[in-house]
Amino acid sequence: MLNTISVEKQPDVIGLMYVTVHVNGRKMLAMLHTGVTNNFLSQREMDRLGLSVANSTSWVKAVNSTAKPIAEVAEATLKIGSWQETISMMVVPLDDFDLILGIEFFRKAKATPMPSP
């Protein structure tokens, strides 16, 4: 069970929650997002981490856009503090963030975000 994590704020993005994580041993910043169901990883980060992928038949739909197929899914070890588990991430084109952890992460980690100022 994940007990406590420290959230990091980006100065130019107000109101979003971030946490430092290790994906397959490599440090990176992840955005915590309770409004998405799955975990998402950018293509560039998947390449940098050297993750292997599996084909996917899933689709993703963002607000005010058409549904698009997810071509690949990657699995990796995610570590936050002393908590560590293998998670699944849909590989999608992302502009602003390289890793978004959604409800799938919160359920697996048994975590509840409680933002504070």
Side-chain angles (χ1 to χ4, degrees), residues 1-2 12 18 20 22 24 26 32 35 38 42 46 48 57-58 67-68 73 78 83 85 88 92 103-105:
M1 178 182 281
L2 181 61
D12 58 340
Y18 293 85
T20 300
H22 289 85
N24 282 2
R26 296 186 88 173
L32 302 175
N38 300 85
S42 69
M46 185 211 59
R48 186 181 79 83
T57 58
S58 297
K68 296 181 180 181
V73 175
L78 178 73
W83 182 87
E85 285 285 335
S88 178
V92 296
I103 295 299
E104 181 180 353
F105 159 74

Side-chain angles (χ1 to χ4, degrees), residues 59-75:
W59 288 69
V60 66
K61 183 180 182 323
V63 176
N64 297 326
S65 68
T66 58
K68 296 181 180 181
I70 299 291
E72 301 170 319
V73 175
E75 285 196 350

